[in-house]
Amino acid sequence: MKLHEYQSKTIFSKYGIPIPKGRVAATAQEARQIAEELGGRVVIKSQVLVGGRGKAGGVKLAKDSAEAEQLATQILGMEIKGLPVRKVLVDEASAIDQEIYFAITDDRAAKKPVMIASAAGGIDIEEVAAKTPEKIIKVHIDPLLGLREYQARDVAVAIDLPREYWKDFVKIAMGLWEVYKNSDATLAEINPLVITKDKKMIALDGKMMIDDNALFRQPNLTELRDTDEDAPSEIEARKYGLSFIKLDGNIGCMVNGAGLAMTSMDVIKLFGGEPANFLDVGGGASSEKVAAAMRIILTDPSVKAILFNIFGGITRCDEVARGILAAMEEVKPKVPMVVRLVGTNAEEGRRLLENANMITAETLADAAKKSVEAAKKGS
Amino acid sequence: MSILVDKNTRLIVQGITGNEGLFHTTQMVAYGTNVVGGVTPGKGGEWVLDGKLPVFDSVKTAKEATDANATIIFVPARFAPDAMFEAADAGIPLVICITEGVAVQDMMRVRNYLDQKKVRLIGPNCPGLLTPGEAKVGIIPGDIAIPGNVGVVSRSGTLTYEVLYAMKNLGMGATTCVGIGGDPINGTNFLDVLEMFEHDPKTEKVIMIGEIGGSEEEKAAQYIADKMTKPVAAFIAGQTAPAGKRMGHAGAIIEGGAGTAADKIKALEAAGVKVAKHPEEIPTLLQ
C-alpha cells in the first residue's frame, strides 16, 4: 500500500524529522487560505500515487496567495498518468542550497533493510543508479540490532556532507529508521532531503510504501488507503479475498494458485491470445468465491471467453465444478467457457459439468488453444 | 537417497489442533511420514488422530519428549514468526513454514536469527517438501508424484503440482520436491537447493520452476554455469505479468524494471539450461 506525500511527511514529522510548514487542500479556496497563512510564497503539489508529478506539471511555485489559488485550480483539475488529482499539498517555499536522496527500504537479496543515500538528490534515483552507480551509497542494517548511529554517520561522510550537518543528518536517519520499523514500511524515502540557504535540513518530499501483510497491526495506516490507482474490479475482488489484477486482453482466467494463474496467462499468450486478467481463486474455491470471480471477470465487456484451470490437490475438482454450476446459475454468462479440471476428483467434476455447455480440455496447452479459438469466434 | 526429508525424519507439527494443521497432519500420516507429535500452546497433554499423536504446549517440551528433528508450521501469519523463533530456540535443525502472509520485516528478523542459529528454514508461503515414497512434509498431494531421479525445486504451489503430474504421466519420478515459497524474503533459495541436488547421488537431473520478482533465478543460473554437472530444465512464470503489480505471491513483482521473466530466461539459457515454453513441456526436455 502506497501513502501520499502529505501522509508520509506527517508521519516523518511525528518522528522528529523536520518538514516544511504546510497543509493539504481539496479546493483552490483552501489552498489560497493556507498560502495566506504561510506568507504567500508556496509550492502547490498534486497528491497522486505516481512518480513524475513535477514533469507532468503537477508541482508549481506560487509567488502569492492569488497565484496559489489559480495554480491550485489548474492542478486540481488535472489527471496525472490516468489518476485524478483530488488533493494538493500547499507547502511554504524553501530556498534550496543542496539536495540529497535518502531512503530506507528492504533489500530482498541481502534479506536486510538497507539505507540508500546520494548527493545527487531531487531526481529519479533509478536513473542515477543506472547512469552513475558510484554516486549511490548503500549501507545494510541488521534487522535484529536496528540502525546504529555510526552507520548513519558513515553515510553522511560517504555523501560528502559537511561536518556541521552530521548531527542533523544522524537525527533524521534515526528518525527515518523508526518510521520504517514502526510503520512496517517497505520503503521510507526522502527525495529530496534539502539543506536550505539558511542552513536547515528539511525533508522536502516524502514517500512511503507499507507492507500489506503487516496491516493487521497498523490500523491507523490502513485507514489511509487510497484506492484511486486500483481498477474497480480489483477493489471488488479484494472484498472476496480474491487475488485479481485487470489486464488488457479478452480471455478471462480463473485459476487456483498464483504461479499457475500467471502460467495460464503466459500459455494463452503463447498460443496467440491475450489474457484479460490475473485471478487466483485460492484453495477451497467455494461456489460463493467462484461466483464472485465470474461476476468480476464479466464486468469487463472486452472478455470474449473464460478459461478455468483448476489443479485439484487439496482443492477437490468436484467441489469446484459445483461452484462453477452454482455461479453459472446466478451469473448466466453468455461467453464461451473452457474448463480444465485435473487431480483430485477430476472425473466426478467433469461429469458434473457435462451438461453445462462448456468446452472441456485435458491439458493446459489444449485449454489455452481452445480458449484462444473461442475468443476469436466471439469477437 | 534424497534431500532434506526422508524416512528418518521425525516431524512435529506446530498448530496441530487447528483446521489446516489437523487436516494436513492426517494426510501426512496417511502418506507414511513419521509424524511424532505436535504443538498447540494451551493444549499440552491432549492427543489427536484417535490418540495416536501427543500434543505439547511448547516446541521445547515436544522436542524433549519425541526427539523431533524437523517441524512444520501451520499457524496463522501473525503468530508464524514467533513459531519460527521458538522452533529455532528449541534446537530443531529443519523448519518448514507453510503459512502465507508473514510480514516482510518479521521475515527479515526471522531469517537473520535462524541463520545465526544455523537452522535451515523452508518457506514461508510454500507447499513444503515431498520425497516420494518416504516422506511428505507439507501440502503437496502425495499421489501426483512417484519416486525417481529428478530433483524439483519451485517457488510455486499448484504450478509445481502441474509439473509433478506431467512427470508422472511420462513415468518420470522425483528424488525430492522442494517448494521454497513465493515470498520476497524466505529461508532457502534456488541456489541452496541446487547445491543439495548436485551433491545428492540419487538426483541425476533437476527441474527448477521460477517466476518474476527478485534475482534468485539469476544467482542460480550463475551457480549452474560455474559448478553444476547435472542437467537442469526450467520454467519461469509471469512472462505476461505487468510491471509494478504483485501477482498473488508477495515476491512476484517486477520493480523498477528488475525481476522480469525475460531477464531470468536469458540468464538461465546462457547457463545452458533448457527453458520450457509451457509447464507440460518441462519433463520432455529432460528425456
Side-chain angles (χ1 to χ4, degrees):
Chain A
M1 183 183 105
K2 293 177 191 168
L3 295 188
H4 283 291
E5 176 194 2
Y6 76 93
Q7 295 166 334
S8 306
K9 274 154 69 176
T10 306
I11 296 170
F12 292 174
S13 163
K14 280 182 193 151
Y15 286 87
I17 299 171
I19 59 168
K21 277 186 201 146
R23 280 209 322 273
V24 73
T27 65
Q29 291 74 18
E30 274 179 73
R32 180 189 182 116
Q33 197 194 331
I34 298 166
E36 272 165 16
E37 288 167 23
L38 294 173
R41 238 179 104 75
V42 291
V43 186
I44 310 288
K45 308 176 87 177
S46 55
Q47 299 295 292
V48 282
L49 295 174
V50 288
R53 292 173 300 163
K55 274 184 202 156
V59 179
K60 293 266 166 71
L61 181 71
K63 58 184 182 303
D64 55 34
S65 56
E67 195 183 3
E69 183 174 358
Q70 184 205 331
L71 289 172
T73 307
Q74 190 191 322
I75 292 173
L76 281 166
M78 287 175 71
E79 260 193 19
I80 299 179
K81 295 182 185 169
L83 298 182
V85 180
R86 299 186 202 279
K87 281 176 182 161
V88 290
L89 176 63
V90 184
D91 265 358
E92 83 181 339
S94 309
I96 300 164
D97 205 33
Q98 195 192 334
E99 294 184 291
I100 296 160
Y101 177 92
F102 186 56
I104 299 176
T105 187
D106 311 333
D107 185 337
R108 273 177 84 152
K111 324 280 179 206
K112 284 176 180 170
V114 62
M115 260 187 304
I116 304 176
S118 177
I123 49 170
D124 187 355
I125 196 69
E126 274 156 19
E127 224 176 280
V128 180
K131 285 184 189 153
T132 47
E134 70 282 359
K135 286 189 181 164
I136 297 206
I137 306 301
K138 288 187 179 182
V139 175
H140 286 104
I141 300 166
D142 184 328
L144 298 166
L145 205 56
L147 176 63
R148 313 312 304 177
E149 290 194 0
Y150 81 87
Q151 295 181 296
R153 235 170 9 247
D154 283 353
V155 170
V157 173
I159 59 168
D160 294 325
L161 198 67
R163 228 174 243 184
E164 55 186 301
Y165 295 108
W166 288 2
K167 214 174 152 190
D168 284 346
F169 181 80
V170 168
K171 191 167 167 265
I172 288 169
M174 297 308 286
L176 197 66
W177 166 252
E178 293 298 320
V179 167
Y180 168 87
K181 183 166 59 102
N182 296 341
S183 314
D184 272 297
T186 55
L187 172 73
E189 179 188 82
I190 307 175
N191 187 25
L193 173 65
V194 301
I195 298 174
T196 61
K197 296 235 187 273
D198 52 358
K199 299 191 183 299
K200 282 187 185 129
M201 205 173 240
I202 300 177
L204 212 59
D205 201 344
K207 183 175 167 186
M208 284 177 73
M209 288 172 73
I210 310 297
D211 178 7
D212 287 327
N213 283 340
L215 290 177
F216 71 89
R217 60 185 172 208
Q218 300 290 350
N220 298 333
L221 296 177
T222 309
E223 283 172 21
L224 302 179
R225 188 190 280 276
D226 176 341
T227 53
D228 266 359
E229 62 163 357
D230 302 336
S233 50
E234 293 176 10
I235 299 167
E236 180 71 10
R238 202 178 291 147
K239 280 191 220 158
Y240 291 94
L242 296 165
S243 185
F244 176 90
I245 292 162
K246 197 189 161 329
L247 303 168
D248 296 329
N250 62 4
I251 301 173
C253 308
M254 194 185 305
V255 187
N256 66 330
L260 193 56
M262 267 190 278
T263 302
S264 302
M265 288 160 39
D266 294 349
V267 179
I268 286 172
K269 176 94 174 175
L270 179 67
F271 290 107
E274 290 289 341
N277 66 277
F278 164 91
L279 194 157
D280 172 9
V281 72
S286 64
S287 61
E288 294 83 29
K289 263 193 167 181
V290 174
M294 204 184 275
R295 271 198 311 273
I296 290 163
I297 290 174
L298 289 168
T299 51
D300 180 354
S302 51
V303 169
K304 300 296 178 214
I306 301 181
L307 167 65
F308 293 85
N309 183 24
I310 304 294
F311 197 102
I314 309 311
T315 306
R316 285 163 39 203
C317 289
D318 58 321
E319 264 182 25
V320 177
R322 285 194 189 90
I324 293 173
L325 286 175
M328 283 175 75
E329 190 63 33
E330 190 202 320
V331 184
K332 300 199 175 14
K334 292 187 180 61
V335 300
M337 299 201 277
V338 179
V339 61
R340 173 186 179 242
L341 300 174
V342 191
T344 314
N345 296 1
E347 267 175 45
E348 172 72 4
R350 281 195 287 264
R351 198 191 54 73
L352 283 165
L353 294 177
E354 241 166 31
N355 300 319
N357 197 23
M358 298 179 98
I359 304 163
T360 56
E362 289 287 322
T363 65
L364 174 53
D366 186 34
K369 276 182 215 160
K370 283 179 172 164
S371 60
V372 173
E373 280 164 28
K376 272 186 190 148
K377 274 185 207 158
S379 50
Chain B
M1 282 286 286
S2 54
I3 64 167
L4 295 162
V5 291
D6 57 27
K7 53 186 186 304
N8 299 316
T9 299
R10 298 174 59 78
L11 182 73
I12 55 166
V13 180
Q14 286 175 260
I16 195 167
T17 58
N19 273 341
E20 295 276 306
L22 197 55
F23 176 80
H24 290 292
T25 302
T26 311
Q27 301 276 319
M28 289 188 289
V29 168
Y31 191 82
T33 310
N34 187 17
V35 182
V36 294
V39 177
T40 298
K43 298 207 170 165
E46 293 182 15
W47 293 75
V48 294
L49 265 62
D50 300 324
K52 283 201 218 56
L53 291 177
V55 182
F56 300 88
D57 280 320
S58 70
V59 179
K60 185 168 177 277
T61 50
K63 166 115 172 32
E64 282 164 3
T66 65
D67 198 25
N69 58 13
T71 178
I72 184 162
I73 295 173
F74 282 105
V75 308
R78 62 184 71 184
F79 309 116
D82 198 57
M84 288 184 266
F85 285 128
E86 186 184 354
D89 280 343
I92 307 265
L94 176 63
V95 179
I96 296 102
C97 184
I98 304 299
T99 310
E100 177 176 3
V102 179
V104 177
Q105 291 200 18
D106 282 333
M107 267 325 295
M108 290 194 286
R109 289 184 278 263
V110 167
R111 172 66 199 265
N112 281 272
Y113 189 74
L114 266 58
D115 279 358
Q116 286 171 18
K117 294 247 168 183
K118 306 219 181 315
V119 171
R120 164 73 56 201
L121 170 68
I122 307 287
N125 190 12
C126 78
L129 308 162
L130 178 67
T131 294
E134 293 196 38
K136 162 181 147 89
V137 179
I139 63 174
I140 300 173
D143 59 349
I144 58 168
I146 52 174
N149 62 2
V150 181
V152 179
V153 56
S154 171
R155 276 168 73 184
S156 185
T158 47
L159 175 57
T160 314
Y161 310 165
E162 186 83 61
V163 175
L164 289 172
Y165 183 72
M167 286 167 64
K168 186 184 171 187
N169 285 342
L170 288 172
M172 190 183 273
T175 46
T176 300
C177 174
V178 185
I180 58 173
D183 273 4
I185 312 270
N186 56 5
T188 296
N189 258 305
F190 285 121
L191 180 59
D192 310 303
V193 181
L194 289 179
E195 267 181 338
M196 291 181 225
F197 281 141
E198 175 68 14
H199 295 123
D200 173 41
K202 181 79 188 294
T203 301
E204 290 173 16
K205 309 164 188 178
V206 175
I207 288 177
M208 157 177 172
I209 305 158
E211 63 190 30
I212 55 162
S215 56
E216 297 301 332
E217 287 84 355
E218 284 88 336
K219 278 189 207 162
Q222 192 61 50
Y223 174 78
I224 293 166
D226 294 346
K227 301 268 175 69
M228 199 127 180
T229 59
K230 299 174 182 176
V232 181
F235 177 74
I236 303 292
Q239 297 187 55
T240 49
K245 292 273 188 184
R246 252 171 240 288
M247 306 303 285
H249 290 153
I253 180 168
I254 299 166
E255 290 169 299
T260 64
D263 285 351
K264 292 173 192 294
I265 291 170
K266 203 173 136 195
L268 288 165
E269 284 181 338
V273 174
K274 288 183 185 164
V275 182
K277 291 193 173 59
H278 62 87
E280 288 151 334
E281 190 193 40
I282 310 172
T284 65
L285 297 179
L286 287 178
Q287 275 183 319

